Amino acid sequence: MKLTVVGCSGSFPSAESACSSYLVEADGFRLLLDMGNGALGELQRHCGLYDLDAIFLSHLHADHCIDMCAYFVARYYRHDGGRCDPIPVYGPEGTEQRLTTAYADTPSASSMSEVFDFHTVKPSTFEIGPFTVHTERVAHPVEAYGIRIEHGGRVLTYSGDTGVTDTLDELARDADLFLCEAAFTHGKENIPDLHLNGREAGETAARANARRLVLTHVPPWTDPQVNLVDARAVYDGPVELAVPRVTYEI
């Protein structure tokens, strides 16, 4: 598998990064995890507008899904070559309604489904292209999912947005790469079931015996270097910060 960081800023885009979006590739198949603010523009650095094969939305907060509205325009109104066939979109209950409401002026109530083939995510194991994926509900104020992606004996886990939860420990169990949010700062914010801090991300990786930890979803108002130090204090494996346009071989 190959993982490319399209965007990794939390809550809103930074001067250096779009919001959450990650491109996973294997066997010529392209799966996009989330499409937050600014992600569609950055995505075009890594693949063509119409080269994606499937999209997974961890939850329906704007910093993880709002550029789907712009992607709707690109697919629905394409002139050259005609309208695109529907692309599979995996998201929580109500994804189609959320995107239709956010766009606010679709030609009809069903226009989104003319270019997006919506699939409702629940805790389950299923196939997306060549990937075997396992999804579980994580700890966030809205319905949100972490995802474990397996291919060729390798494992990538993406936390989505979450507080501390045993569910995430299991999703990340023995993962080759654990892409984990670290939005909060240890000793500063203490809001249960919302986000992790760097220390909590490191503790989760240690409990899960993950082989590599990449911290992501750090908002512009959070010092990422503090979170990096905090994660390294409790996790002995390799830890680094997600950086836009960086690609990992898994």
Side-chain angles (χ1 to χ4, degrees):
M1 286 186 287
K2 183 169 73 172
L3 167 69
T4 300
V5 178
V6 178
C8 54
S9 185
S11 299
F12 57 95
S14 70
E16 292 79 29
S17 178
C19 283
S20 293
S21 192
Y22 313 92
L23 181 63
V24 183
E25 301 173 81
D27 298 345
F29 191 94
R30 295 181 175 93
L31 168 64
L32 191 71
L33 308 178
D34 286 339
M35 193 184 285
N37 318 42
L40 185 59
E42 287 296 314
L43 178 65
Q44 294 170 74
R45 297 180 184 274
H46 308 289
C47 73
L49 273 174
Y50 310 109
D51 292 338
L52 290 178
D53 295 293
I55 299 168
F56 170 82
L57 300 177
S58 63
H59 65 292
L60 300 179
H61 280 156
D63 59 327
H64 292 258
C65 74
I66 201 63
D67 265 28
M68 290 290 290
C69 291
Y71 197 40
F72 166 77
V73 173
R75 296 186 73 87
Y76 190 89
Y77 293 104
R78 185 176 73 161
H79 179 73
D80 293 337
R83 184 178 298 170
C84 298
D85 292 333
I87 181 175
V89 175
Y90 300 84
E93 187 80 41
T95 296
E96 179 179 2
Q97 293 79 9
R98 174 79 166 98
L99 296 179
T100 300
T101 300
Y103 190 86
D105 192 27
T106 54
S108 74
S110 62
S111 293
M112 282 282 172
S113 62
E114 293 180 38
V115 293
F116 298 141
D117 179 18
F118 291 101
H119 300 260
T120 299
V121 172
K122 296 294 181 184
S124 60
T125 300
F126 54 100
E127 306 295 321
I128 301 179
F131 304 112
T132 298
V133 305
H134 182 70
T135 53
E136 288 287 352
R137 183 86 179 257
V138 290
H140 205 51
V142 300
E143 185 178 359
Y145 291 88
I147 185 170
R148 179 183 177 95
I149 303 171
E150 301 184 24
H151 178 269
R154 300 289 182 171
V155 177
L156 164 66
T157 297
Y158 170 47
S159 66
D161 280 9
T162 182
V164 176
T165 171
D166 293 343
T167 300
L168 184 59
D169 293 8
E170 291 309 310
L171 283 174
R173 183 70 58 199
D174 298 320
D176 294 283
L177 191 150
F178 180 25
L179 182 64
C180 185
E181 77 117 287
F184 284 167
T185 303
H186 177 61
K188 181 181 177 184
E189 299 102 340
N190 183 23
I191 305 172
D193 298 336
L194 183 57
H195 290 297
L196 300 170
N197 57 48
R199 184 180 182 88
E200 290 167 337
E203 290 171 339
T204 301
R207 289 192 301 269
N209 194 36
R211 295 179 177 87
R212 186 178 192 180
L213 174 61
V214 178
L215 302 177
T216 193
H217 197 270
V218 180
W221 51 45
T222 296
D223 185 342
Q225 295 302 321
V226 171
N227 285 6
L228 185 62
V229 169
D230 287 346
R232 286 175 172 165
V234 294
Y235 171 66
D236 292 335
V239 189
E240 57 198 283
L241 296 166
V243 176
R245 305 176 200 170
V246 169
T247 295
Y248 300 91
E249 297 289 341
I250 304 170

